[in-house]
């Protein structure tokens, strides 16, 4: 049975400040480095066969912590990047609400394409879902750990599972350095086996941005 561990990166200062990262290449902070190390201890016990990562440094640095324990190389895939947030990137969510009230309201209501050059959720799901499927296809019957981002992880997993946007809105956001586990078999296809698994958190759950 093929297994995918879809792993969100560790904490960054922008996570802590509720600032929209999107595809801005922000680094892990000290807490994020600690989280990556703690999560890697748990993930190494699953005996992964491969590691794939977003090319943004917060995900790549997270993946590197696991690579250091397992000796596995890390393959990067730009399709695993977070949702592109257009004009919102670099702003706090308070600033987004103040500058773009109509678009922010649509986003809060679950609009798939709120405007302001924000990538649509459908495009995000297809992009990340294709990268997840490619990662799984490289190691059939094995376990692949994929280091990515909160929003991308949810939409990409939803794409593989064939879930509607309404169902996906009910799935809680991944905490930093937590993961979703998917498994595939030829009879039932992709199945969700676990969600939001990881080391004990010592910070408030951040928005998946």
């Amino acid at each position: 049975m093929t297994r995918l561990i879809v792993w969100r990166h560790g904490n960054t200062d922008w996570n802590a400040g509720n600032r929209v990262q999107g595809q801005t290449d922000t680094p892990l902070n000290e807490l994020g480095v600690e989280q990556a190390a703690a999560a890697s201890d748990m993930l190494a016990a699953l005996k992964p066969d491969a590691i794939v990562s977003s090319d943004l440094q917060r995900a790549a640095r997270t993946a590197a912590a696991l690579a250091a324990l397992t000796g596995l190389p890390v393959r990067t895939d730009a399709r695993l990047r977070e949702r592109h947030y257009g004009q919102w990137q670099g702003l706090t969510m308070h600033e987004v609400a103040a500058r773009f009230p109509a678009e922010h309201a649509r986003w809060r209501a679950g609009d798939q394409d709120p405007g302001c050059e924000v990538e649509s959720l459908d495009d995000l799901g297809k992009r990340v879902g294709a990268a997840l499927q490619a990662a799984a296809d490289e190691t059939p019957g094995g376990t692949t750990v994929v280091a990515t981002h909160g929003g991308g992880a949810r939409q990409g997993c939803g794409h593989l599972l064939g879930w509607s946007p309404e169902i996906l809105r009910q799935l809680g956001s991944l905490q930093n350095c937590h993961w979703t586990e998917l498994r595939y078999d030829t009879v039932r296809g992709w199945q969700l086996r676990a969600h939001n698994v990881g080391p004990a958190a010592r910070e408030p759950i951040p928005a998946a941005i």
Side-chain angles (χ1 to χ4, degrees):
M1 184 177 292
T2 301
R3 178 166 61 171
L4 277 178
I5 305 296
V6 185
W7 186 24
R8 188 185 179 198
H9 61 80
N11 194 259
T12 71
D13 287 343
W14 283 28
N15 285 147
N18 199 28
R19 191 172 294 278
V20 182
Q21 291 179 112
Q23 294 187 8
T24 307
D25 198 10
T26 52
L28 296 181
N29 57 23
E30 182 178 345
L31 173 59
V33 173
E34 293 174 2
Q35 291 171 331
S40 293
D41 285 339
M42 298 174 67
L43 289 171
L46 301 180
K47 301 188 182 304
D49 299 291
I51 305 171
V52 183
S53 176
S54 159
D55 62 345
L56 296 179
Q57 63 176 308
R58 58 190 184 271
R61 178 77 183 276
T62 299
L66 180 59
L69 287 181
T70 62
L72 294 169
V74 178
R75 179 177 68 80
T76 59
D77 188 333
R79 294 177 296 178
L80 292 167
R81 290 182 179 187
E82 180 59 290
R83 185 180 191 181
H84 191 275
Y85 274 88
Q87 298 175 54
W88 297 4
Q89 290 186 171
L91 303 178
T92 65
M93 290 310 298
H94 178 76
E95 291 169 336
V96 169
R99 297 185 192 184
F100 307 102
E103 292 85 354
H104 180 262
R106 289 202 296 270
W107 175 76
R108 291 274 295 174
D111 192 318
Q112 303 291 297
D113 191 3
C116 291
E117 302 173 8
V118 176
E119 183 178 12
S120 76
L121 289 179
D122 183 60
D123 287 347
L124 174 64
K126 289 176 179 176
R127 169 169 63 79
V128 178
L132 294 177
Q133 185 65 62
D137 290 344
E138 287 189 358
T139 315
T143 295
T144 299
V145 176
V146 179
T148 183
H149 308 265
R154 176 164 54 187
Q155 297 303 132
C157 288
H159 180 77
L160 291 187
L161 292 164
W163 287 2
S164 69
E166 292 73 24
I167 292 174
L168 273 179
R169 274 180 60 80
Q170 306 307 312
L171 188 67
S173 299
L174 282 175
Q175 298 179 52
N176 285 117
C177 262
H178 282 52
W179 57 86
T180 297
E181 179 180 342
L182 302 180
R183 294 192 188 184
Y184 179 86
D185 68 47
T186 56
V187 175
R188 299 180 60 187
W190 285 107
Q191 306 160 54
L192 176 66
R193 298 301 295 268
H195 179 64
N196 241 338
V197 181
R202 67 173 179 86
E203 92 283 6
I205 299 173
I209 55 175

